[in-house]
Amino acid sequence: MDDFQNLLQSGMIFSEGLAALVSIIYLKKLKGSYYSYFSIFLIFIFCCELFGKFAENYISYPKNLFFNYFVIPVEFIFFYWLYAYQSLNNKKLFFAISGIFLLAFIPNELYFIKNKQIFSFNYTFGSLLMALLVIMEYYKQVNSDNILNFMKNKMFYINLGVTLFYIGTLPFWAFYFQLLENMEMWNLYYNYFLLSGIVMYLLFASSFIWGKQNYI
């Protein structure tokens, strides 16, 4: 990993911390809103990233299992909840997509390599399900009576960030091993992965600053 990628990795953790900090500042204003759980989620993710980066200096633990079996599933299921259960107001869709995502661990356990940092099959499958919700959210926003005021919509910032990161990195994780055969292409996609992560968390922070309560 070169110096630029190390810088991007640090920048991604910083952007996660910034999003968590901004969410804490606005948390009191969100009391009683389901959006307050988004703040808790950002704090949780930042703490997990710090644990993943520094804990191995003090204790020995399977870092890949921690992220693959705990952190990443929590991320996907939370976003499924935020999109389907809350924003789209479709509880059945939330339970269906969450169930399908969890069932994807079965073929992963049976057929795919598990000694890598991220289970590309689960991540890719989870992102495909996320893409469905992202499209539905865009459709909802485009057909909203308040479309001209989209900059005040918290979900606009969240949806854009999720699009850039989770959907934009689908080719990277879907063809991870194929890309490893061409390190120049792999590095290009990995740089995008880190850059889009930084932008996503900055957009999450922006959702607290510019998004309005009456759009929840």
Side-chain angles (χ1 to χ4, degrees):
M1 187 177 297
D2 57 32
D3 293 337
F4 179 64
Q5 290 174 342
N6 285 324
L7 179 64
L8 290 179
Q9 275 195 340
S10 299
M12 187 168 176
I13 294 177
F14 175 80
S15 65
E16 290 174 344
L18 179 63
L21 177 61
V22 171
S23 76
I24 292 173
I25 295 173
Y26 284 84
L27 184 57
K28 188 175 181 180
K29 295 181 180 180
L30 298 169
K31 186 177 180 180
S33 163
Y34 69 78
Y35 203 76
S36 61
Y37 293 105
F38 185 53
S39 172
I40 297 171
F41 167 77
L42 292 175
I43 297 168
F44 165 79
I45 292 298
F46 179 58
C47 290
C48 287
E49 288 291 345
L50 291 179
F51 181 83
K53 184 174 180 61
F54 299 110
E56 58 187 358
N57 296 329
Y58 305 97
I59 59 174
S60 177
Y61 77 103
K63 184 176 180 179
N64 65 320
L65 299 183
F66 171 68
F67 279 94
N68 284 300
Y69 287 112
F70 179 60
V71 179
I72 292 176
V74 169
E75 286 184 22
F76 277 111
I77 291 176
F78 175 83
F79 279 115
Y80 297 159
W81 173 82
L82 183 64
Y83 274 83
Y85 197 101
Q86 297 294 350
S87 182
L88 299 173
N89 195 27
N90 192 329
K91 299 177 182 180
K92 291 182 179 179
L93 180 62
F94 162 68
F95 287 114
I97 287 183
S98 298
I100 293 171
F101 170 70
L102 293 175
L103 287 174
F105 277 87
I106 296 176
N108 185 81
E109 293 295 314
L110 294 175
Y111 303 111
F112 294 93
I113 300 173
K114 293 179 282 298
N115 60 344
K116 53 190 177 184
Q117 187 169 354
I118 291 184
F119 295 169
S120 58
F121 175 77
N122 293 75
Y123 196 93
T124 301
F125 192 74
S127 295
L128 286 172
L129 294 173
M130 187 92 76
L132 172 64
L133 296 175
V134 164
I135 293 171
M136 293 175 69
E137 178 63 30
Y138 277 127
Y139 181 81
K140 174 189 171 183
Q141 292 180 18
V142 167
N143 288 279
S144 171
D145 293 335
N146 293 314
I147 186 174
L148 296 179
N149 296 313
F150 68 94
M151 295 292 288
K152 297 178 181 179
N153 186 349
K154 286 179 170 63
M155 283 303 295
F156 165 77
Y157 299 95
I158 295 174
N159 209 36
L160 181 57
V162 168
T163 300
L164 293 173
F165 183 71
Y166 287 97
I167 314 306
T169 58
L170 261 173
F172 180 63
W173 297 111
F175 304 103
Y176 187 86
F177 288 108
Q178 290 83 352
L179 289 170
L180 279 176
E181 298 175 3
N182 185 335
M183 287 305 300
E184 183 177 353
M185 187 65 68
W186 186 92
N187 281 315
L188 182 64
Y189 268 104
Y190 186 63
N191 289 343
Y192 174 80
F193 170 76
L194 295 173
L195 282 168
S196 63
I198 293 172
V199 173
M200 179 181 72
Y201 283 102
L202 292 178
L203 285 168
F204 288 172
S206 300
S207 72
F208 290 96
I209 299 171
W210 292 304
K212 299 301 180 182
Q213 183 76 8
N214 62 337
Y215 279 81
I216 295 177

